[in-house]
Amino acid sequence: MTTTSRSLTGLSQVEAANRRAAGQGNNIPLKTSRTYRDIFRDNLFTFINGVYFFLSLVLLVLERVSDVVVVTAIVLLNVVINIVQEIRAKQKLDNIALLTRPRATVIRAGQELDIDLGEIVVGDVLVVRPGDQIAVDGPVLTAEEIRVDESLLTGESDLVPKQVGDSLYSGSFCASGTACYTADKVGSESLASKMTAEARQFRKVLTPLQRHINTLIRLLLGLAIVLGLITLLRMILGVSSFTSGIQNLVVIVGLVPVGLYFMITLTYALGAVNIANQSALVQQANAVESISNVDIMCIDKTGTLTANRIFLQTVLPLGATGQSELRRLLGDYAASAAASNKTNDALLQAEPRPRRSVKREIPFNSAYKWSGLAFEESPGMYILGAPEVLATAVPDTIAETLQIYITDGANQGLRVLLFAHSATVVDQEDGEGNPMLPPLTPLAMLYFGDELREGVHQTLAEFRQAGVQVKVISGDNPATVAALAKQAGLGDDILAVSGQALAAMDKVVFNQAAEENTIFGRITPEQKARLVKSFQDRGHYVAMMGDGVNDVLSLKQANVGVAMESGSQATRSVADIVLLHDSFSALPKIFLEGQRIRNGVADITKLFMVRIFAFSVVIVAIGMITLSFPIGIKTGTIVTFFTVGIPPFFVTLWAKSKPVKADHGDPFLHFVLPATITLSLVSILLYLLFLAENIGPILAWLSGQLPLEEVGRQITREQVIRAQRIAETALVTMQIFGGLLLLPFLKPPTRTWVGGAPLSRDWRFTILAVVLMLAYGVIVTVPGLRNFFEIYPLQSHEYAGIVGLAIIWAVVLRFTWRRRLLDRFLGIPISPF
């Protein structure tokens, strides 16, 4: 127990149990992912489902029961699949997330206990140390220079000093110092239940692909609204009947790609499960895909390049104090500090000592990079910290000698610290509230060793293969970090710069230095965040990995925040991804999984856009020419099911992690625009051809056997209805075959199919297309299925003609892609190949 909490006894276990029974416990839910209620609500009660429900009621009134059955079946199939998959993903993620659930330290009956947050009761005395989360609201009882990060609550990054009597709020974190406080407001009365949500909402940023898809969905929603208004107007003017108008509205609502939205949600959920198998917990859903965009990975030296098992290697005396006395003082210093850290642990392991009474302590802070202790029975104060910083408080002649020792240790990859003594106790602060160094007398130079993390060479090599630059941002000496980085295989030509040098640079020079250097040493938390911002300003997509409270600012600034499981509660709460078991080697695998998910989502988006835009153009064009709606509910459902119902599931399932390289052009537009334009044209011409061919007077007029003025007199309503059904079947068949032929174009199995996408040599997509074509063949040949889906039977030679036309379309489409005809027509480079 620390000196801060030693004199406090807290509640007894009996008192705590009685208060919990009285409803004074900190009853907060474990919010690791979406609740079951959220999953059911978001999948069932959507705007589109509401529209379908209303239209289905109208169809029931009109006795179109079979149409309602089809609409209901499609909606329920989509909903059930997504709910089942999301629940499976939630259960697995919840089980894993229990490992990283924050805990609190309370004092019960005079003893410190580590308990779950839900076990806290009103009146409990809690202990908070650097990096700890403030679990509940309450006043400070005792404090030793405590500073709190309240940025998640206020948006201000400045640390807030807290004195006895000041209130601490859940959702904030202890940045330095140790304090005890009383639990005053718990459960729903405090901010604890909102802390995680607020931390993640603060970081909620859409990925580039999400922004792209959202724009497309808004565009399609606008198109559906316009077509819907036109259909309503036709109903009001009597151009179309009420029944057919409602049926047309159902088809138009299907233009909004809700399936794409749900497929992306499902892909993210399954990706989170796959990443969990790589020993990582996804806390922000889109981080699964977002991490695939990363081209700069910022890491620390300790715990990433090294195993964070530091040990005291050498104590180099600098004055008259002998080796044994120095080791005793170092042991006393480490044993008496209120908050332990890896450095103190290494000192205690080398020289175990009992705790001594302390009259003044300045805890370590990464902003000023040193700590201090004044013992009750000893004069002055002992200081331990970064030698470059402490050297500013020693005589110049000694500082020059210190620099030699610093350089010698750093070049060996050793961590170098200076142990010094001040004749006076530190009692002054600078303008930023940081303690000011008094004149110092150097006592010893300390050299600490650390072993490289197992597998770090392979991990860094995998980063390079994935095209990700690694930047090492550390609080250690830049030469030390550079030496270890070279040993880890980061390269022999890497450049290093110190935080002091960066502080003296203007913005332009700073940004240039950030781009050119790989190693950044003696960096403050504010400089970390500034470096991340500098990378982003230069167009980079940045991931930041941290483990301490000093990393919170930079984690927030980064596009993707990654925390270690062993890190502070602060970093775990704001991070998008938490590495379980501190598995640094899992990161490259997570990058590859992110690339796989991004590629899968991009591919299914292409299929959805071709299907919807081509369908929309056909509806508008045929409606303008014939004043009729070319497709019904059931036939539209068949097209949707075969082109963007079944294929997207397998496209995402079979997606690969191969990075998409497009130095110029736009792979999305290159694939979608030619496919949409050509499929729309051939579908419109095919529909009009079958329509004209099956209305005798029109065919006679086209052949010159009947005057134009006689055409209208000889056309009967029965002829028009029959011709429309035949043309509709031809249109549906063409749309299905065209949509399925896009699969081998999307993932070309041979060079013959290369045009819209790079060669993949994956035959599964082609086989899937063939299987689905055969399935459609079963529907059109089985009378019961054909009649249910209102598909008019065509002659064998007509089906053969449509198949032949689809093959000709595929050849023309490939020619359009390969010859870059759209690029030439628009005058801009769209093709990425």
Side-chain angles (χ1 to χ4, degrees), residues 65 332 365 421 503 698 729:
V65 178
D332 290 345
N365 190 297
H421 182 262
I698 292 180
T729 299

Side-chain angles (χ1 to χ4, degrees), residues 317-330:
L318 298 176
T321 308
Q323 181 79 220
S324 58
E325 177 64 13
L326 282 172
R327 286 185 170 271
R328 183 188 65 79
L329 287 173
L330 288 169

Side-chain angles (χ1 to χ4, degrees), residues 237-549:
L237 296 176
V239 177
S240 62
S241 67
F242 184 76
T243 300
S244 62
I246 293 298
Q247 290 176 308
N248 296 344
L249 284 176
V250 173
V251 177
I252 290 171
V253 170
L255 294 177
V256 181
V258 181
L260 174 60
Y261 171 77
F262 283 126
M263 186 60 68
I264 291 173
T265 302
L266 177 60
T267 302
Y268 284 166
L270 296 179
V273 172
N274 290 337
I275 288 179
N277 293 331
Q278 302 291 344
S279 298
L281 173 64
V282 176
Q283 302 194 124
Q284 188 80 280
N286 66 354
V288 177
E289 181 252 316
S290 182
I291 199 167
S292 68
N293 299 288
V294 169
D295 59 355
I296 286 186
M297 181 74 207
C298 300
I299 64 174
D300 194 358
K301 170 187 72 71
T302 306
T304 50
L305 293 182
T306 65
N308 201 18
R309 292 191 288 267
I310 65 174
F311 55 92
L312 181 62
Q313 180 170 303
T314 305
V315 176
L316 179 64
L318 298 176
T321 308
Q323 181 79 220
S324 58
E325 177 64 13
L326 282 172
R327 286 185 170 271
R328 183 188 65 79
L329 287 173
L330 288 169
D332 290 345
Y333 188 97
S336 305
S340 183
N341 53 44
K342 293 294 182 179
T343 301
N344 285 348
D345 292 344
L347 290 174
L348 278 175
Q349 185 176 9
E351 192 66 34
R353 295 285 297 175
R355 181 187 298 274
R356 293 175 59 182
S357 297
V358 175
K359 61 182 178 183
R360 168 72 165 151
E361 179 176 5
I362 298 177
F364 177 82
N365 190 297
S366 56
Y368 46 83
K369 300 190 179 301
W370 56 271
S371 61
L373 276 181
F375 299 114
E376 288 285 0
E377 67 278 11
S378 301
M381 192 172 201
Y382 292 96
I383 306 291
L384 179 65
E388 298 90 342
V389 176
L390 301 189
T392 60
V394 304
D396 292 341
T397 54
I398 301 178
E400 293 176 2
T401 304
L402 292 180
Q403 187 58 49
I404 297 174
Y405 293 136
I406 294 171
T407 303
D408 182 57
N411 289 337
Q412 300 177 55
L414 300 176
R415 185 180 184 189
V416 185
L417 294 180
L418 179 62
F419 188 53
H421 182 262
S422 168
T424 60
V425 177
V426 176
D427 57 1
Q428 295 184 0
E429 296 181 346
D430 60 19
E432 298 180 356
N434 294 326
M436 296 179 62
L437 281 171
L440 299 177
T441 301
L443 297 179
M445 194 71 76
L446 311 183
Y447 297 101
F448 294 86
D450 197 353
E451 59 185 88
L452 289 176
R453 178 182 284 272
E454 184 179 355
V456 68
H457 289 85
Q458 180 180 350
T459 302
L460 294 178
E462 290 173 346
F463 275 127
R464 286 194 296 271
Q465 292 174 3
V468 179
Q469 297 183 56
V470 175
K471 304 277 189 178
V472 185
I473 305 176
S474 174
D476 285 343
N477 184 288
T480 299
V481 181
L484 283 170
K486 291 176 181 178
Q487 295 175 27
L490 203 55
D492 294 329
D493 56 347
I494 53 178
L495 300 177
V497 64
S498 68
Q500 294 93 325
L502 290 174
M505 299 177 183
D506 60 27
K507 183 176 181 180
V508 175
V509 179
F510 182 97
N511 290 341
Q512 186 66 29
E515 186 74 17
E516 294 176 350
N517 287 273
T518 302
I519 306 299
F520 303 87
R522 298 300 185 206
I523 301 296
T524 65
E526 291 76 15
Q527 286 178 323
K528 283 188 179 182
R530 188 181 174 192
L531 283 169
V532 172
K533 181 67 166 59
S534 175
F535 299 143
Q536 292 170 328
D537 290 343
R538 285 180 165 253
H540 295 291
Y541 206 87
V542 185
M544 177 72 199
M545 187 165 67
D547 58 1
V549 70

